[in-house]
Amino acid sequence: MRGRFITFEGIDGAGKSTHLDWFADALRARGATVLRTREPGGSPLAERLRALLLSEAMSITTEILLMFAARQDHLDTVVGPALARGDWVLCDRFTDSTFAYQGAGRGAGSEHIAMLERWVQAGLQPDRTYLFDLPPEEAARRRAGARAPDRFEQEDLDFFGRVRAGYALRVQQDPARFVTIDARQDIAAIRAVLQGSIDTLWA
Ligand SMILES: Nc1ncnc2c1ncn2[C@@H]1O[C@H](COP(=O)(O)OP(=O)(O)O)[C@@H](O)[C@H]1O
Ligand SMILES: [Mg+2]
């Protein structure tokens, strides 16, 4: 059985992490061998780059290059080998986040990111991306109850509005890859949507 590369996307607080473990278990119940990972990070070197990205001030160009340096190592040492084994890879954020956060949120535009995407991914794209779509105001309320903010999560509502729009543009450009989830729903309703979409992954 061929593995699949599945990514979860959405602004901070939209519910990605809440649903990842459950989704991994649902896939395992269907017989898949699942590797759960995240970006930036997911390999020892990339996790060290993540720590820098989440804490240090840097230029937008440096930020984009570090993101893709981390991504290259993660793909080379973790994601690529897992997919080659036939495992299912479930990743919390991937390149759509770079387009949405650095490209749209920070205003870097998509040109250089698209160039790095072609170079680093060499044609690899997720088989499916679940986009958790939530208004920034509600995401901020949920985050406030949950954790201390990192460097990205300290951004204001306008920033997350641009990130959300950046994600919407990615969906427009590749609609077949995305399942957009209205994350205003409660957790049980979202699980039902995810459960309902699992069968189509075997198609
Ligand atoms: N559908 C939901 N309704 C209400 N609260 C939610 C929902 N999904 C997640 N949460 C809560 O919102 C907060 C942020 O969720 P989280 O999964 O950490 O988001 P993300 O990983 O996308 O940043 C957590 O406290 C989580 O329990
Ligand atoms: Mg999370």
Side-chain angles (χ1 to χ4, degrees):
M1 192 168 68
R2 181 176 79 84
R4 301 280 193 283
F5 184 26
I6 301 167
T7 58
F8 276 31
E9 294 283 359
I11 64 175
D12 295 274
K16 299 176 297 297
S17 302
T18 299
H19 295 282
L20 260 161
D21 282 327
W22 178 87
F23 194 74
D25 287 342
L27 291 175
R28 289 188 187 107
R30 288 285 310 261
T33 301
V34 181
L35 177 84
R36 187 194 183 298
T37 185
R38 69 172 180 183
E39 288 213 349
S43 65
L45 174 58
E47 287 289 331
R48 295 178 70 178
L49 296 175
R50 177 193 178 91
L52 295 172
L53 280 159
L54 266 48
S55 63
E56 301 287 329
M58 61 185 76
S59 79
I60 179 61
T61 302
T62 303
E63 185 171 300
I64 291 168
L65 291 169
L66 279 184
M67 286 286 179
F68 274 98
R71 182 159 299 136
Q72 182 78 68
D73 190 68
H74 185 219
L75 290 174
D76 288 347
T77 66
V78 175
V79 175
L83 292 174
R85 288 193 300 267
D87 293 355
W88 290 53
V89 176
L90 194 50
C91 193
D92 191 339
R93 296 194 180 284
F94 192 58
T95 305
D96 295 315
S97 284
T98 318
F99 281 98
Y101 279 73
Q102 282 72 43
R106 296 227 202 280
S110 60
E111 186 190 340
H112 293 108
I113 298 172
M115 194 177 79
L116 290 164
E117 178 188 36
R118 281 194 296 277
W119 186 31
V120 168
Q121 290 167 228
L124 177 74
Q125 286 290 346
D127 295 290
R128 169 153 318 154
T129 298
Y130 290 98
L131 174 60
F132 290 76
D133 184 56
L134 191 66
E137 295 80 4
E138 176 60 18
R141 274 194 289 275
R142 290 184 187 179
R143 287 200 306 275
R147 58 189 181 241
D150 64 32
R151 194 166 70 87
F152 292 95
E153 293 176 343
Q154 286 165 10
E155 294 284 351
D156 60 18
L157 290 177
D158 285 348
F159 174 83
F160 285 107
R162 292 193 297 276
V163 174
R164 189 185 186 201
Y167 276 127
L169 191 59
R170 292 290 283 172
V171 175
Q172 269 181 35
Q173 290 164 346
D174 192 3
R177 176 162 64 86
F178 284 91
V179 173
T180 302
I181 292 173
D182 180 353
R184 292 172 304 181
Q185 303 171 90
D186 64 29
I187 289 172
I190 291 170
R191 280 184 183 175
V193 173
L194 291 171
Q195 183 71 59
S197 81
I198 282 179
D199 282 345
T200 64
L201 285 164
W202 266 263

